Amino acid sequence: MFLTGLAALAVVPTLPTAARDLDGVSLFPLVAGCFVAASLLGGVLGGHWADSAGAQRPLAAGMALAVATLLASAASTSIWQLAAGRFLDGLAGGMVAVAINTAIGQAYPDRLRPRVLALMSACWIVPSLVGPPLAGLVAQWWSWRAVFLGLAALTLLPALAVVAVLRGRSWRAAPAPSGDRPSRPALVIATAVSVGAALGQYGASGWDLRHLLFAAGGLALLVVFAPRLLPPGTWRAARGLPATVLLRGLSSGVFFTLEALVPLMLVTDRDVAPVVTGLAFTGAAVAWAASSWVQGRLLERVPRHRLVVAGALVLAAAVAIAAVGTLPAMPAPLAASAMVVAAIGMGLLAPSLTVLSLSHAPPGRQGCAGSAMQTTQNLGQITVLGVSSALFNACLGSGASDFTGYGAAFGLLLAPCVLATVLAARTRSH
């Protein structure tokens, strides 16, 4: 988790600069979305792999693949190659994230899971303090490619060590009862969902007939295949695991969109130095870890669904700050602070939803529950970012200013926050 946090927090702040240098700002949603789309596929494969063979194998495979992704991204000569590198990175990240959550479900009792999840969040503290500002300085003084190469060098030996240590080990949970074993989803289903998500992100990057056709094709794939990867009743927020899975998608979509569009606005419209956006990511990561620690220690006796409500309300406040921060008269740090406020909300909300999902999962099905959470998280991120980007491009197409477009995109994020607040009671664990 430490290595994952270091790579994620150092790479993401440099992406707007890389997109600008590769003449691909209009395709930035695709670059960000490719990572998420591949994470969806990696999460599905990793979750079922963990249930069948133990969590250590997808964890080791994901770590090894992560090194290759960093090298591929560093060698990018076009925005399309960068998007491909991010796709591979997402595949590795999805496998690692689900493997870690599955291992927690398999190895720890219910009462310790909130604290273990808080410990996982704490692993992001040092990377959050060092990664983003250092990556910003490297990108500003040298090159954004050096960020990818440096991370590959740092990750290589630890990744080999992880593979060697975990080889042959297993902490598998007891098998599910015979009639309650999940059928392994066909690879074509997960692939179709990932392709549909990527097509949707490309469709959201423009506002003409070609982009609309790509968006329609991506939406069709998602409508047909995505429900097969989620618990029945997810789209209608049925009580229990389905509602928990849905809320993970809504909340993650809001946070991810803020994390993508706020730095892009700061770099391209406010001409803010990469190190400043890196500091915003640092503040957000520290705020998330601190908030997660609070929910795991000081608020561990508060019902989890109430913490979900509190987190959703804080997310709504962050959206309002981002919208106000788009005004030209407002200082750039105001918009950057929205990322920190949103992270506080996610630190309360995300671990609570994970605990709820594990409590709702049938015995021996923690991997499937984790896979569903990862899937809907990625679907939510792709959907919310895609709709917000489409609205932004529509505003620009009508002659509105960039600031008007960003304001409209941010304002749209209030809807998922309201839905999460209203539906939180359906996630309650009895």
Side-chain angles (χ1 to χ4, degrees):
M1 184 61 78
F2 178 87
L3 290 170
T4 301
L6 183 62
L9 291 168
V11 165
V12 174
T14 67
L15 290 180
T17 303
R20 183 183 61 187
D21 291 348
L22 295 173
D23 296 326
V25 172
S26 63
L27 291 174
F28 183 79
L30 176 65
V31 174
C34 273
F35 177 88
V36 179
S39 296
L40 189 153
L41 175 58
V44 171
L45 297 180
H48 288 270
W49 191 359
D51 279 344
S52 63
Q56 78 285 354
R57 293 187 180 180
L59 177 58
M63 286 298 302
L65 182 60
V67 177
T69 69
L70 292 169
L71 295 175
S73 297
S76 297
T77 57
S78 69
I79 194 68
W80 293 101
Q81 185 176 347
L82 180 62
R86 296 299 293 159
F87 186 90
L88 291 174
D89 197 14
L91 187 64
M95 293 172 60
V96 170
V98 170
I100 289 176
N101 285 336
T102 303
I104 292 173
Q106 293 174 350
Y108 290 88
D110 292 344
R111 64 183 181 86
L112 291 181
R113 288 172 185 169
R115 295 189 179 187
V116 178
L117 290 168
L119 177 61
M120 293 299 99
S121 296
C123 290
W124 290 66
I125 294 179
V126 173
S128 68
L129 294 173
V130 176
L134 182 59
L137 288 174
V138 172
Q140 183 176 350
W141 292 347
W142 192 1
S143 170
W144 58 267
R145 300 179 190 276
V147 175
F148 287 95
L149 292 174
L151 288 170
L154 289 174
T155 307
L156 178 59
L157 289 179
L160 292 175
V162 168
V163 173
V165 169
L166 295 182
R167 186 176 183 181
R169 297 193 178 191
S170 177
W171 54 82
R172 293 170 61 181
S178 61
D180 191 36
R181 295 182 181 178
S183 59
R184 182 185 297 272
L187 179 60
V188 65
I189 295 178
T191 303
V193 172
S194 293
V195 171
L199 290 177
Q201 288 303 307
Y202 176 72
S205 65
W207 195 250
D208 53 32
L209 180 59
R210 182 184 63 182
H211 287 84
L212 289 177
L213 289 176
F214 273 98
L219 179 61
L221 288 174
L222 293 177
V223 169
V224 172
F225 291 101
R228 305 185 188 186
L229 303 177
L230 301 175
T234 296
W235 303 126
R236 54 184 175 85
R239 293 185 180 275
L241 184 60
T244 305
V245 167
L246 178 63
L247 263 62
R248 182 56 177 265
L250 293 175
S251 58
S252 297
V254 173
F255 182 77
F256 181 76
T257 302
L258 287 174
E259 196 177 50
L261 295 185
V262 168
L264 185 65
M265 179 187 69
L266 294 176
V267 170
T268 59
D269 288 348
R270 296 291 186 93
D271 200 24
V272 172
V275 66
V276 176
T277 61
L279 289 173
F281 278 94
T282 294
V286 173
W288 187 317
S291 181
S292 181
W293 182 89
V294 169
Q295 67 80 32
R297 294 284 182 173
L298 304 182
L299 302 177
E300 58 182 339
R301 297 186 181 275
V302 177
R304 292 282 135 186
H305 68 282
R306 294 184 180 177
L307 293 180
V308 173
V309 173
L313 292 176
V314 175
L315 273 179
V319 169
I321 293 173
V324 174
T326 61
L327 299 176
M330 295 296 173
L334 178 63
S337 68
M339 297 169 58
V340 179
V341 177
I344 295 174
M346 289 299 292
L348 294 173
L349 189 151
S352 299
L353 289 175
T354 301
V355 171
L356 288 168
S357 71
L358 293 173
S359 67
H360 290 309
R365 296 286 297 275
Q366 292 94 343
C368 286
S371 175
M373 292 285 281
Q374 184 75 15
T375 298
T376 192
Q377 170 183 311
N378 295 341
L379 285 174
Q381 291 173 352
I382 292 166
T383 302
V384 176
L385 176 61
V387 174
S388 298
S389 300
L391 179 59
F392 172 76
N393 289 322
C395 291
L396 296 186
S398 64
S401 66
D402 287 357
F403 299 107
T404 301
Y406 281 116
F410 292 141
L412 183 67
L413 300 181
L414 287 175
C417 295
V418 172
L419 280 176
T421 303
V422 173
L423 298 175
R426 293 177 174 266
T427 68
R428 184 173 184 174
S429 178
H430 297 285

PDB file of all heavy atoms in Angstrom, residues 73-91:
ATOM      1  N   SER A  73       4.772   4.461 -19.495  1.00  0.00           N
ATOM      2  CA  SER A  73       4.309   5.846 -19.447  1.00  0.00           C
ATOM      3  C   SER A  73       5.463   6.819 -19.646  1.00  0.00           C
ATOM      4  O   SER A  73       5.311   7.853 -20.298  1.00  0.00           O
ATOM      5  CB  SER A  73       3.611   6.120 -18.115  1.00  0.00           C
ATOM      6  OG  SER A  73       2.460   5.331 -17.976  1.00  0.00           O
ATOM      7  N   ALA A  74       6.631   6.509 -19.075  1.00  0.00           N
ATOM      8  CA  ALA A  74       7.779   7.405 -19.193  1.00  0.00           C
ATOM      9  C   ALA A  74       8.228   7.557 -20.636  1.00  0.00           C
ATOM     10  O   ALA A  74       8.755   8.606 -21.016  1.00  0.00           O
ATOM     11  CB  ALA A  74       8.936   6.884 -18.343  1.00  0.00           C
ATOM     12  N   ALA A  75       8.028   6.530 -21.457  1.00  0.00           N
ATOM     13  CA  ALA A  75       8.480   6.555 -22.850  1.00  0.00           C
ATOM     14  C   ALA A  75       7.444   7.153 -23.797  1.00  0.00           C
ATOM     15  O   ALA A  75       7.619   7.098 -25.024  1.00  0.00           O
ATOM     16  CB  ALA A  75       8.837   5.140 -23.306  1.00  0.00           C
ATOM     17  N   SER A  76       6.383   7.741 -23.288  1.00  0.00           N
ATOM     18  CA  SER A  76       5.295   8.231 -24.131  1.00  0.00           C
ATOM     19  C   SER A  76       5.766   9.322 -25.086  1.00  0.00           C
ATOM     20  O   SER A  76       6.444  10.272 -24.687  1.00  0.00           O
ATOM     21  CB  SER A  76       4.158   8.778 -23.261  1.00  0.00           C
ATOM     22  OG  SER A  76       3.604   7.765 -22.459  1.00  0.00           O
ATOM     23  N   THR A  77       5.394   9.166 -26.351  1.00  0.00           N
ATOM     24  CA  THR A  77       5.657  10.199 -27.353  1.00  0.00           C
ATOM     25  C   THR A  77       4.366  10.840 -27.851  1.00  0.00           C
ATOM     26  O   THR A  77       4.406  11.748 -28.669  1.00  0.00           O
ATOM     27  CB  THR A  77       6.411   9.602 -28.556  1.00  0.00           C
ATOM     28  OG1 THR A  77       5.646   8.528 -29.112  1.00  0.00           O
ATOM     29  CG2 THR A  77       7.773   9.076 -28.120  1.00  0.00           C
ATOM     30  N   SER A  78       3.226  10.360 -27.378  1.00  0.00           N
ATOM     31  CA  SER A  78       1.923  10.912 -27.746  1.00  0.00           C
ATOM     32  C   SER A  78       0.972  10.703 -26.582  1.00  0.00           C
ATOM     33  O   SER A  78       1.223   9.897 -25.678  1.00  0.00           O
ATOM     34  CB  SER A  78       1.369  10.231 -29.006  1.00  0.00           C
ATOM     35  OG  SER A  78       1.023   8.885 -28.731  1.00  0.00           O
ATOM     36  N   ILE A  79      -0.124  11.424 -26.623  1.00  0.00           N
ATOM     37  CA  ILE A  79      -1.123  11.300 -25.562  1.00  0.00           C
ATOM     38  C   ILE A  79      -1.741   9.913 -25.564  1.00  0.00           C
ATOM     39  O   ILE A  79      -2.158   9.393 -24.519  1.00  0.00           O
ATOM     40  CB  ILE A  79      -2.213  12.390 -25.728  1.00  0.00           C
ATOM     41  CG1 ILE A  79      -3.075  12.498 -24.465  1.00  0.00           C
ATOM     42  CG2 ILE A  79      -3.061  12.116 -26.946  1.00  0.00           C
ATOM     43  CD1 ILE A  79      -2.334  13.033 -23.270  1.00  0.00           C
ATOM     44  N   TRP A  80      -1.764   9.263 -26.741  1.00  0.00           N
ATOM     45  CA  TRP A  80      -2.334   7.920 -26.819  1.00  0.00           C
ATOM     46  C   TRP A  80      -1.437   6.902 -26.129  1.00  0.00           C
ATOM     47  O   TRP A  80      -1.920   5.972 -25.481  1.00  0.00           O
ATOM     48  CB  TRP A  80      -2.561   7.538 -28.279  1.00  0.00           C
ATOM     49  CG  TRP A  80      -3.606   8.364 -28.941  1.00  0.00           C
ATOM     50  CD1 TRP A  80      -3.408   9.420 -29.791  1.00  0.00           C
ATOM     51  CD2 TRP A  80      -5.028   8.247 -28.791  1.00  0.00           C
ATOM     52  NE1 TRP A  80      -4.609   9.961 -30.190  1.00  0.00           N
ATOM     53  CE2 TRP A  80      -5.621   9.250 -29.589  1.00  0.00           C
ATOM     54  CE3 TRP A  80      -5.852   7.389 -28.064  1.00  0.00           C
ATOM     55  CZ2 TRP A  80      -6.999   9.418 -29.673  1.00  0.00           C
ATOM     56  CZ3 TRP A  80      -7.217   7.547 -28.149  1.00  0.00           C
ATOM     57  CH2 TRP A  80      -7.779   8.562 -28.948  1.00  0.00           C
ATOM     58  N   GLN A  81      -0.133   7.057 -26.265  1.00  0.00           N
ATOM     59  CA  GLN A  81       0.774   6.137 -25.580  1.00  0.00           C
ATOM     60  C   GLN A  81       0.707   6.339 -24.066  1.00  0.00           C
ATOM     61  O   GLN A  81       0.770   5.377 -23.297  1.00  0.00           O
ATOM     62  CB  GLN A  81       2.206   6.348 -26.068  1.00  0.00           C
ATOM     63  CG  GLN A  81       3.196   5.331 -25.493  1.00  0.00           C
ATOM     64  CD  GLN A  81       4.592   5.489 -26.073  1.00  0.00           C
ATOM     65  OE1 GLN A  81       4.781   6.193 -27.063  1.00  0.00           O
ATOM     66  NE2 GLN A  81       5.563   4.841 -25.456  1.00  0.00           N
ATOM     67  N   LEU A  82       0.570   7.581 -23.642  1.00  0.00           N
ATOM     68  CA  LEU A  82       0.412   7.843 -22.219  1.00  0.00           C
ATOM     69  C   LEU A  82      -0.870   7.196 -21.690  1.00  0.00           C
ATOM     70  O   LEU A  82      -0.887   6.629 -20.594  1.00  0.00           O
ATOM     71  CB  LEU A  82       0.396   9.349 -21.963  1.00  0.00           C
ATOM     72  CG  LEU A  82       0.241   9.786 -20.508  1.00  0.00           C
ATOM     73  CD1 LEU A  82       1.414   9.297 -19.670  1.00  0.00           C
ATOM     74  CD2 LEU A  82       0.105  11.304 -20.404  1.00  0.00           C
ATOM     75  N   ALA A  83      -1.937   7.288 -22.484  1.00  0.00           N
ATOM     76  CA  ALA A  83      -3.196   6.653 -22.082  1.00  0.00           C
ATOM     77  C   ALA A  83      -3.029   5.141 -21.965  1.00  0.00           C
ATOM     78  O   ALA A  83      -3.565   4.514 -21.042  1.00  0.00           O
ATOM     79  CB  ALA A  83      -4.296   6.998 -23.079  1.00  0.00           C
ATOM     80  N   ALA A  84      -2.274   4.536 -22.890  1.00  0.00           N
ATOM     81  CA  ALA A  84      -2.038   3.088 -22.823  1.00  0.00           C
ATOM     82  C   ALA A  84      -1.253   2.723 -21.566  1.00  0.00           C
ATOM     83  O   ALA A  84      -1.538   1.720 -20.903  1.00  0.00           O
ATOM     84  CB  ALA A  84      -1.291   2.621 -24.070  1.00  0.00           C
ATOM     85  N   GLY A  85      -0.246   3.529 -21.231  1.00  0.00           N
ATOM     86  CA  GLY A  85       0.502   3.277 -20.016  1.00  0.00           C
ATOM     87  C   GLY A  85      -0.363   3.385 -18.780  1.00  0.00           C
ATOM     88  O   GLY A  85      -0.244   2.574 -17.843  1.00  0.00           O
ATOM     89  N   ARG A  86      -1.246   4.365 -18.780  1.00  0.00           N
ATOM     90  CA  ARG A  86      -2.157   4.511 -17.643  1.00  0.00           C
ATOM     91  C   ARG A  86      -3.141   3.350 -17.559  1.00  0.00           C
ATOM     92  O   ARG A  86      -3.577   2.967 -16.472  1.00  0.00           O
ATOM     93  CB  ARG A  86      -2.909   5.839 -17.749  1.00  0.00           C
ATOM     94  CG  ARG A  86      -2.030   7.064 -17.668  1.00  0.00           C
ATOM     95  CD  ARG A  86      -1.293   7.121 -16.347  1.00  0.00           C
ATOM     96  NE  ARG A  86      -2.199   7.330 -15.235  1.00  0.00           N
ATOM     97  CZ  ARG A  86      -1.921   7.037 -13.970  1.00  0.00           C
ATOM     98  NH1 ARG A  86      -0.772   6.474 -13.666  1.00  0.00           N
ATOM     99  NH2 ARG A  86      -2.798   7.272 -13.010  1.00  0.00           N
ATOM    100  N   PHE A  87      -3.498   2.780 -18.718  1.00  0.00           N
ATOM    101  CA  PHE A  87      -4.391   1.617 -18.714  1.00  0.00           C
ATOM    102  C   PHE A  87      -3.716   0.441 -18.005  1.00  0.00           C
ATOM    103  O   PHE A  87      -4.323  -0.226 -17.159  1.00  0.00           O
ATOM    104  CB  PHE A  87      -4.764   1.241 -20.146  1.00  0.00           C
ATOM    105  CG  PHE A  87      -5.790   0.145 -20.242  1.00  0.00           C
ATOM    106  CD1 PHE A  87      -7.137   0.446 -20.278  1.00  0.00           C
ATOM    107  CD2 PHE A  87      -5.402  -1.181 -20.289  1.00  0.00           C
ATOM    108  CE1 PHE A  87      -8.094  -0.568 -20.357  1.00  0.00           C
ATOM    109  CE2 PHE A  87      -6.340  -2.201 -20.368  1.00  0.00           C
ATOM    110  CZ  PHE A  87      -7.687  -1.890 -20.405  1.00  0.00           C
ATOM    111  N   LEU A  88      -2.458   0.180 -18.341  1.00  0.00           N
ATOM    112  CA  LEU A  88      -1.728  -0.905 -17.687  1.00  0.00           C
ATOM    113  C   LEU A  88      -1.567  -0.639 -16.191  1.00  0.00           C
ATOM    114  O   LEU A  88      -1.656  -1.551 -15.366  1.00  0.00           O
ATOM    115  CB  LEU A  88      -0.362  -1.084 -18.339  1.00  0.00           C
ATOM    116  CG  LEU A  88      -0.338  -1.627 -19.772  1.00  0.00           C
ATOM    117  CD1 LEU A  88       1.085  -1.613 -20.315  1.00  0.00           C
ATOM    118  CD2 LEU A  88      -0.917  -3.032 -19.819  1.00  0.00           C
ATOM    119  N   ASP A  89      -1.330   0.615 -15.844  1.00  0.00           N
ATOM    120  CA  ASP A  89      -1.193   0.974 -14.440  1.00  0.00           C
ATOM    121  C   ASP A  89      -2.493   0.718 -13.693  1.00  0.00           C
ATOM    122  O   ASP A  89      -2.493   0.251 -12.546  1.00  0.00           O
ATOM    123  CB  ASP A  89      -0.788   2.443 -14.323  1.00  0.00           C
ATOM    124  CG  ASP A  89      -0.243   2.779 -12.953  1.00  0.00           C
ATOM    125  OD1 ASP A  89       0.058   1.849 -12.193  1.00  0.00           O
ATOM    126  OD2 ASP A  89      -0.109   3.971 -12.641  1.00  0.00           O
ATOM    127  N   GLY A  90      -3.617   1.030 -14.332  1.00  0.00           N
ATOM    128  CA  GLY A  90      -4.904   0.777 -13.706  1.00  0.00           C
ATOM    129  C   GLY A  90      -5.173  -0.704 -13.494  1.00  0.00           C
ATOM    130  O   GLY A  90      -5.752  -1.110 -12.483  1.00  0.00           O
ATOM    131  N   LEU A  91      -4.761  -1.522 -14.456  1.00  0.00           N
ATOM    132  CA  LEU A  91      -4.926  -2.965 -14.314  1.00  0.00           C
ATOM    133  C   LEU A  91      -4.174  -3.469 -13.084  1.00  0.00           C
ATOM    134  O   LEU A  91      -4.700  -4.257 -12.286  1.00  0.00           O
ATOM    135  CB  LEU A  91      -4.415  -3.663 -15.575  1.00  0.00           C
ATOM    136  CG  LEU A  91      -4.657  -5.171 -15.683  1.00  0.00           C
ATOM    137  CD1 LEU A  91      -6.136  -5.477 -15.749  1.00  0.00           C
ATOM    138  CD2 LEU A  91      -3.941  -5.734 -16.906  1.00  0.00           C
TER     139      LEU A  91
END
